[in-house]
Amino acid sequence: MARFWTEPQHKHGTPPRIGVLLANLGTPEAPSAAALRPYLKQFLSDPRVVEIPRVVWWPILNGIILNTRPAKSAAKYASIWMDEGSPLKVHTQRQSRLLAARLGDGLEVSWAMRYGAPSIPDQLNGMRAAGCDRILVVPMYPQFSASTTASVMDEVAHCLSRWRNLPELRFVRSFHDDPGYIAALARSVREHWATHGQPDRLVMSFHGTPRRTLDLGDPYHCECRKTARLVGEALELPAERLLVTFQSRFGKAEWLQPYTQPTLEALARDGVGRVDVMCPGFVADCLETLEEIAMECRAAFLGAGGKAFHYLPCLNEREDWIAALADLTRRQLGHWLDRPAPSDEALAASQRRATALGAAH
């Protein structure tokens, strides 16, 4: 088997470009069991996501999970599906377009999904064909986790391992304490409160990970806590009115605590009338925010005696968030932006030299 994929035909005189790739988690192509099965298989086959020896995990995944979970997940996706498709894909695509408009001409801005389509290799190959010799990868996960951000890095590295002519490459590791990101989160809360008043508790629910990942050195839990603390400080919210919880537990092992739904049910039983819930670990609304939080957790809180449950949407296409993302991107691009684009005359001269060199040989 050949090590390298077919390289695009090299064209002398092609102006170099900068590529910016936004990478999010992924989504099925349709809210159906048939579409969920390959998506879940790719997702749950990633050793970064499920850190169980393959010999143990493979029979469970293929013999049980992929035969039972696709239909259940499909019904959940169907409840939040948009006319344009999956919310995560729709919002990520919109964010990419808005970011491109803010960054201006000269940059190739694209987006990809770690699982599903468009894939990271497909989008990177598109950037290579467009002449990008410098690529910035922006995993759209504010808090770093091996199961998310590192998996994107793995996929990029795997793709580039088959390239001959490699680009300069940069990654955004995390932006959990980025001032623009924090300010956009805080402003979204203030705007909601200006219309609806303040709740008894503000709950910040983050995606959960197994407890052992914290013990093994994953910084995710600490970065989630810092994000929450910074947003709370920006809101000048007393510490006792702010709660950090973790959602989406899977399996029987202990995960990061406290768990979101049991916490909400306990608050209701203790007489807390209204909660506002936001998910700062997601910059785009998706199944976990729209179905798990806005539907399941709402029902659980009200069913336990709560009076009012408000879900605060993710940042999505907020102008202040896109501005913050553009600022973050420019900082990461750094001196790449200082390299002047070659003039038409310089490109023409380069092409003449390449033609002359070819004729001489």
Side-chain angles (χ1 to χ4, degrees), residues 27-28 30-33 36 40 68-82 85-87 247-250 261 286-297:
T27 181
S32 67
L36 259 296
L40 288 175
T68 59
R69 192 164 179 179
K72 296 178 181 178
S73 295
K76 294 183 177 183
Y77 272 103
S79 70
I80 54 99
W81 208 257
M82 302 170 68
S86 162
Q247 64 192 78
S248 307
R249 179 186 176 190
F250 179 74
Q261 184 169 320
C286 58
L287 183 71
E288 288 194 32
T289 64
L290 297 174
E291 196 279 333
E292 184 176 356
I293 298 299
M295 294 182 184
E296 290 186 11
C297 285

Side-chain angles (χ1 to χ4, degrees), residues 177-225:
D177 57 357
D178 178 76
Y181 159 71
I182 296 297
L185 288 172
R187 193 173 294 114
S188 72
V189 177
R190 290 194 203 97
E191 290 174 1
H192 182 82
W193 288 354
T195 301
H196 302 283
Q198 294 195 16
D200 299 309
R201 299 288 189 279
L202 174 63
V203 178
M204 295 190 186
S205 179
F206 294 86
H207 178 75
T209 61
R211 176 64 172 76
R212 65 185 295 272
T213 62
L214 175 61
D215 299 330
L216 292 172
D218 199 301
Y220 176 73
H221 178 266
C222 301
E223 294 190 1
C224 290
R225 290 284 182 180

Side-chain angles (χ1 to χ4, degrees), residues 305-336:
K307 304 302 181 185
F309 180 105
H310 291 196
Y311 169 66
L312 279 61
C314 292
L315 295 174
N316 295 328
E317 295 85 53
R318 286 182 59 93
E319 184 176 359
D320 50 6
W321 157 237
I322 301 300
L325 180 60
D327 183 61
L328 172 67
T329 301
R330 291 191 190 97
R331 294 200 310 270
Q332 293 293 328
L333 292 173
H335 72 275
W336 284 359

Side-chain angles (χ1 to χ4, degrees), residues 114-179:
R114 174 62 183 89
Y115 315 102
S119 71
I120 289 174
D122 283 348
Q123 299 300 74
L124 287 176
N125 284 320
M127 287 184 169
R128 175 171 60 166
C132 295
D133 66 348
R134 292 151 290 166
I135 298 176
L136 170 67
V137 180
V138 187
M140 299 293 273
Y141 312 117
Q143 298 78 27
F144 177 93
S145 173
S147 61
T148 53
T149 314
S151 182
V152 169
M153 295 179 176
D154 288 347
E155 186 71 355
V156 171
H158 178 70
C159 176
L160 296 188
S161 70
R162 294 184 167 188
W163 290 21
R164 183 179 301 278
N165 187 6
L166 295 179
E168 289 187 71
L169 189 65
R170 292 179 181 171
F171 282 96
V172 172
R173 179 190 177 279
S174 68
F175 49 94
H176 64 287
D177 57 357
D178 178 76

Side-chain angles (χ1 to χ4, degrees), residues 59-105:
I60 298 173
L61 174 61
N62 290 279
I64 301 175
I65 294 176
L66 293 180
N67 289 321
T68 59
R69 192 164 179 179
K72 296 178 181 178
S73 295
K76 294 183 177 183
Y77 272 103
S79 70
I80 54 99
W81 208 257
M82 302 170 68
D83 291 341
E84 301 163 76
S86 162
L88 182 64
K89 179 175 286 189
V90 171
H91 289 303
T92 304
Q93 184 177 41
R94 290 175 182 173
Q95 289 170 344
S96 175
R97 290 172 178 170
L98 291 169
L99 176 63
R102 277 193 172 266
L103 294 177
D105 297 334

